[in-house]
Structures are given as C-alpha cells and as structure tokens.
Amino acid sequence: MSKMKNGNLIVSSAPHVVSPVNTSNIMRDVCIALIPAMIMEVVVFGLRALALTAVCVAACILFESITRRLLGRPDTISDLSAVVTGILLSYNLPAGLPFWMAIIGCFVAIVIVKQVFGGLGQNFANPAIVGRIVLFISFATPMTTWVLPKSQQTVDAITGATPLGLFSKGMDVPSNMDMFLGFIGGCTGEVSALALLLGGVYLVFKKVIEPTIPVSFIATVFVFALVTGLDPVFHIFAGGVMLGAIFMATDYVTSPITTRGKIIFGIGCGLLTMLIRLYSSYPEGVSFAILLMNILTPHIDNLTRLKLNGVPAGGDK
C-alpha cells in the first residue's frame, strides 16, 4: 500500500486497515466485566480474596515478562492478557489459599501453557483452567478448604462446604437466591451469579463475546438437571458454571470458530460438567469439562468448517 504524505510517497507492508478492536481493548473490556465479581469477592470473603487476586495478577505479569525476555520475544504486557489470566485464575481459587501455591498456578498458566507453546494465540487450552486443575491435583486439601462468607463465620467455624459439596453429601443446600446473590462458600469469583451475569451482558453488549457458547453451555446444564429430576436453577448457580460459561469457555483461542462448532462446544461443556458432578467422585466438573472440550476444539472446527460451493472435499487439489 502506498500514499502521499507531505509530498513524499509512503510505502508500507500489510496490514493496511487498522481496527479499533485489538487485543488490548478486548482484554480491557474483559477486565471491566470482571469488576462486579471482584466487588462481590470482597463483600463475601473480605480483603484476603482481593489480595489473592492482586498476587495472581502480579505473578502472571512477572512470569510473562521474564519468560518473553528469556525467549527473545517482544514484551506483551501491554496487551493485558496476563492480567486477565491472573484475575480468572484467582477467581477459581479458595479465598484462604496460601499465596505461594497461587503463584505456582500462575507459573503453570503463563509459562507452561501459554509461553512455551508460543504465547497468546498458540495455547492449546485456557491457561487459567490448567493452572487451576494443576493446583487442584497438587494441593487437594488447601484447594478444597472453602472459606465461609463473612456473614456466616463464627468463632468455631470459618470454613465449610460449598453448595455442591453439600449436595453430594445429601445435605441441605443454600437457597437459589443466596446462590444468585453470592452469599455462599466457594471459589472467590464464582459465588455470585448476578455479578457474573452483569459482566456477561457487558461483554455481549460490547461484542467481545457471542452468547452462543454461554447459552448452549448453561442450557445443557439446565436440561440435564431437569431430565434427571434435579433442581436446574441450583446446578446453574452452584459451582463454576456461570464463571466458566461466560469468561472461560468463550476464550477465542481455545474455542471453535464456527457457530455450529460453538454450539457443539457449549453442549459438550454442559454434558461433561453434569456427568462429572453426578457420576464421578468430584462434586464439580466445570474445569475438567472446559479443558476436555479445549482439546477437542481443532476437531470440532474441522467437522464444522464451511465448504465452498464447487470446491471438492479436501480442498481444490
């Protein structure tokens, strides 16, 4: 492309069209969408939860900067993707988790899952999801020691079971309204369905995400619970369904491109989540479900790829 400027012919290489939609702006909108959940984590669990988020964000930024320098790659801190990974990982952790354990999760997410595979856009799975699963497997007890909401803490009890933990043991569970608002035990950023829904509406309004995956994910959980005679609203509000469906399953890199692929991906996430919840030894299955569907994403894309008229199967050769 060439153009005249001050009497001089300026020649430049592609791309020639500059869009206001870039990685930094998209990640900034995701950070804004995560603010309601951040407010609720402070309201429900106190400043310890906010400190955990700050530690994860700082660790992710530091690991990304150091790794890219060691690999001789340009710095990408300004694209805010490491900030988003840090926030999402912290939202998947108990409020009382030791900071050093959270930092290990950040190392796995940024260095192992993201940078070793080439950086943003090359990772095969959502970095925060893998970081959370590695911590869950490595530190099972701290990762399942749930801090109770401040309003429910007593001198004798500051930890307790999550709604899904109570459900798996056949005990009384919190009301759907408490789970909708967020006054329950669980990971710091997943407790308030209302806060996450507000963030999701903002992302759809800003056209950062399409509602296809969240709707198909949540609808599948709803239908599965209904068919098996369970409370579908409980299974949507409990655990990480809302956080996973809106903020983690919609990751551009690790989710399908086509609309049909997104629907298949969302349904798969919902089915696997409910199968793990109801028929495995784990009370929650959102993280494992999204990771498994991340792995299947290239195959889903191949199966749902649009075929051009007149082009034989397998291409034009």
Side-chain angles (χ1 to χ4, degrees):
M1 180 182 185
S2 62
K3 63 180 179 180
M4 296 298 294
K5 183 177 182 181
N6 298 326
N8 298 318
L9 180 63
I10 307 298
V11 179
S12 62
S13 58
H16 304 300
V17 178
V18 178
S19 169
V21 180
N22 55 39
T23 303
S24 298
N25 289 341
I26 291 172
M27 294 300 168
R28 182 200 60 201
D29 281 333
V30 175
C31 290
I32 293 173
L34 288 167
I35 289 176
M38 191 177 296
I39 294 173
M40 283 306 299
E41 75 172 3
V42 176
V43 171
V44 176
F45 299 114
L47 292 176
R48 179 60 168 73
L50 184 62
L52 184 65
T53 298
V55 167
C56 287
V57 170
C60 285
I61 291 174
L62 187 63
F63 283 133
E64 177 147 317
S65 180
I66 293 174
T67 307
R68 293 193 71 83
R69 288 190 181 188
L70 291 175
L71 296 175
R73 298 171 182 165
D75 197 349
T76 54
I77 297 303
S78 60
D79 68 16
L80 301 180
S81 62
V83 175
V84 171
T85 299
I87 296 174
L88 287 176
L89 178 58
S90 75
Y91 281 10
N92 281 276
L93 305 176
L97 189 76
F99 291 152
W100 67 269
M101 292 183 186
I103 292 173
I104 291 176
C106 295
F107 175 84
V108 172
I110 295 295
V111 179
I112 305 299
V113 181
K114 186 177 175 184
Q115 295 303 331
V116 166
F117 285 88
L120 183 64
Q122 305 298 320
N123 47 294
F124 71 97
N126 186 302
I129 285 284
V130 179
R132 184 243 192 274
I133 290 175
V134 169
L135 289 176
F136 180 72
I137 295 173
S138 303
F139 308 106
T141 299
M143 281 292 289
T144 53
T145 301
W146 308 105
V147 177
L148 290 171
K150 290 193 299 181
S151 59
Q152 299 175 16
Q153 292 181 8
T154 65
V155 176
D156 299 323
I158 60 172
T159 61
T162 64
L164 287 173
L166 295 171
F167 171 79
S168 67
K169 296 176 183 176
M171 302 172 66
D172 292 336
V173 297
S175 68
N176 288 341
M177 181 56 70
D178 280 342
M179 291 194 294
F180 180 67
L181 297 177
F183 297 104
I184 56 175
C187 294
T188 60
E190 71 179 22
V191 291
S192 175
L194 173 61
L196 295 167
L197 195 57
L198 289 174
V201 170
Y202 174 80
L203 291 179
V204 172
F205 175 75
K206 296 288 288 185
K207 298 182 179 179
V208 173
I209 65 171
E210 296 178 3
T212 311
I213 290 177
V215 170
S216 55
F217 189 159
I218 294 171
T220 301
V221 171
F222 184 95
V223 171
F224 197 111
L226 195 64
V227 169
T228 52
L230 303 172
D231 181 356
V233 178
F234 169 83
H235 279 279
I236 290 174
F237 292 163
V241 168
M242 296 293 287
L243 177 64
I246 296 172
F247 290 98
M248 310 192 81
T250 52
D251 178 26
Y252 289 172
V253 181
T254 56
S255 63
I257 299 172
T258 64
T259 299
R260 283 191 302 155
K262 292 177 189 293
I263 294 172
I264 294 171
F265 183 88
I267 291 174
C269 287
L271 283 175
L272 289 170
T273 295
M274 291 303 291
L275 287 172
I276 294 171
R277 281 185 177 183
L278 301 185
Y279 305 111
S280 80
S281 58
Y282 293 119
E284 175 59 303
V286 170
S287 296
F288 291 105
I290 295 176
L291 175 60
L292 290 171
M293 293 309 296
N294 284 164
I295 295 171
L296 291 177
T297 290
H299 303 292
I300 296 174
D301 276 334
N302 286 333
L303 288 173
T304 60
R305 183 176 298 166
L306 296 176
K307 296 180 175 60
L308 300 177
N309 289 333
V311 177
D316 56 358
K317 57 187 177 181

